[in-house]
Each structure stands twice: as structure tokens, then as C-alpha cells.
Amino acid sequence: MSAAVVVCQPMYVYRLAFDPAFGRFSPGVLNTLDAIEIVFAALSHEVRRHIVQLLSHLGGELPSGYLAKRFPHSWPTTTRHLHVLEAAGLVSVRHEGRSCVYRLERDRLRHIVGGWLALLDPPTPELTWRSPGPRSVTKGQQR
């Protein structure tokens, strides 16, 4: 059995799998569907979606204390939500002394969500599946 750790950077998601031959974790880029799954799981909670909206509408970068004051729950709960967004690569954190400033990673969000929306485009005539077999109803012929 191999253990796996997911590490997110602004544009890419990596899965670190334990390689027993080398006795360490080695990176492998997750495929697009795995990255989509991670991002949508992070956005599945309404508070995390609200955090993304706050970061988007209020300049893209906000301190954690400012974000925590916007919610009725405790500061540690807000911090946990921010860590989930950070693990999905949707926000990045910059430490300034004892405070943390969170920044929305718009390009990654557009890339992943836009890629998912592209999967919903209707097929073109070239991509429409046609049966290779004979048709069961032939026009103009009587039985």
C-alpha cells in the first residue's frame, strides 16, 4: 500500500505518493478530473464560498482577522475553512509577523472551473457518436 499526500500550488495540484524504492515521497501531477474534484470539494461549504466571494470583491487580499470577523462562528473554524481553501490551491497565504494575509488565486479558480464548464459544451457533429451497425428503420422501404 502506498500513502499519498496532496500538495497544492497556485496553478498545479500534485499528489505525493510514497515510493518504497527510494524511501520517500515523489510527485506526480493529478489529472484534471482529480483537480476538479479537489476544488469543488473545497467550494462545497457555503462559508468557503463566502470567503472566496469576500476575497474577490474586496481586493483579492485580506487578513485572516478581517475574514474571521465576518462570520458568527469562532476564529479557529474560519481558520480551518481557510486551510481547506489553501489546500485546494484557491487561496495562498502570506505571513506578516503574527498575522496571515490570504490572497485569492483567481487564475487557478478560472482554470479549474472553466475547464469543468468546458466539459459541458455540447458535442460538435464530429464528436457525436454514431452506431456503426445498420439502422433498424429504413426510410422509404416497406416490409
Side-chain angles (χ1 to χ4, degrees):
M1 281 278 180
S2 64
V5 177
V6 175
V7 176
C8 299
Q9 293 180 351
M11 287 300 291
Y12 302 100
V13 180
Y14 297 92
R15 174 178 292 152
L16 299 178
F18 186 75
D19 189 349
F22 296 105
R24 61 183 166 88
F25 286 95
S26 61
V29 178
L30 291 176
N31 67 33
T32 305
L33 293 178
D34 287 340
I36 290 171
E37 189 68 30
I38 289 168
V39 167
F40 276 91
L43 294 173
S44 66
H45 197 282
E46 66 178 310
V47 170
R48 293 193 286 267
R49 290 191 304 271
H50 192 148
I51 290 170
V52 168
Q53 286 179 332
L54 282 171
L55 288 168
S56 176
H57 293 285
L58 298 177
E61 232 181 45
L62 293 171
S64 58
Y66 180 88
L67 290 167
K69 287 179 191 176
R70 300 288 171 250
F71 300 101
H73 51 257
S74 67
W75 183 304
T77 301
T78 302
T79 303
R80 279 193 295 273
H81 286 302
L82 287 166
H83 286 285
V84 171
L85 291 170
E86 183 183 3
L90 297 179
V91 298
S92 58
V93 63
R94 180 172 40 91
H95 299 280
E96 291 182 351
R98 289 179 40 184
S99 65
C100 298
V101 178
Y102 287 87
R103 178 178 180 269
L104 180 63
E105 296 296 339
R106 293 176 198 272
D107 292 338
R108 174 159 168 73
L109 186 59
R110 281 189 188 112
H111 175 72
I112 297 295
V113 175
W116 181 77
L117 288 171
L119 295 174
L120 301 178
D121 287 343
T124 61
E126 302 85 43
L127 297 177
T128 304
W129 182 81
R130 299 267 185 217
S131 172
R135 296 181 184 253
S136 59
V137 177
T138 308
K139 239 182 180 178
Q141 290 183 359
Q142 293 182 3
R143 292 185 181 237

